């Protein structure tokens, strides 16, 4: 049974709409993951500050862990390395 070309075009439109929805959902999930990472970083820094720890050392450690994590995921970029500058 051959499909009418109109039916094929309709299927294409439906599939493209589903694809857009999936891409939007994926973007939202990436944003949620980034937000969760940021919240974890803030919690670690606050905990170090409350304990009288060295915040700058904590930031350096967090940055190193983030880089390691990104390298393991294969998403390492140098674009955000200057977000928090640490003087050695």
């Amino acid at each position: 049974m051959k499909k009418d070309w109109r039916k094929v075009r309709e299927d294409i439109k439906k599939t493209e709409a589903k694809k857009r929805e999936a891409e939007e959902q994926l973007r939202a999930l990436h944003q949620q993951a980034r937000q969760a990472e940021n919240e974890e970083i803030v919690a670690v820094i606050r905990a170090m500050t409350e304990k009288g720890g060295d915040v700058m050392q904590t930031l350096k450690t967090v940055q190193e862990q983030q880089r390691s994590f990104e390298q393991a995921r294969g998403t390492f970029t140098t674009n955000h390395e200057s977000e928090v500058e640490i003087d050695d």
Side-chain angles (χ1 to χ4, degrees):
M1 176 182 214
K2 291 185 178 180
K3 284 190 175 184
D4 186 317
W5 65 270
R6 286 177 226 117
K7 174 66 174 153
V8 172
R9 286 190 171 230
E10 183 180 319
D11 289 346
I12 290 171
K13 287 181 182 181
K14 287 179 183 178
T15 303
E16 287 174 344
K18 288 179 185 178
K19 178 183 172 188
R20 279 191 298 276
E21 289 174 14
E23 288 172 345
E24 289 174 15
Q25 184 179 13
L26 184 59
R27 275 192 293 276
L29 289 171
H30 280 295
Q31 185 177 9
Q32 288 174 9
R34 181 60 126 183
Q35 182 65 31
E37 290 172 358
N38 290 342
E39 289 172 2
E40 184 176 344
I41 291 167
V42 169
V44 167
I45 292 170
R46 285 185 180 152
M48 285 298 294
T49 303
E50 290 171 1
K51 294 177 183 176
D54 183 2
V55 174
M56 295 311 289
Q57 182 58 40
T58 301
L59 287 173
K60 188 173 183 177
T61 301
V62 168
Q63 272 188 332
E64 290 168 357
Q65 289 173 348
Q66 176 107 14
R67 284 188 196 116
S68 296
F69 178 71
E70 288 175 350
Q71 285 174 338
R73 279 194 327 193
T75 59
F76 180 72
T77 62
T78 58
N79 295 344
H80 55 51
E81 285 185 10
S82 63
E83 286 180 3
V84 178
E85 293 183 16
I86 297 175
D87 297 331
D88 290 324

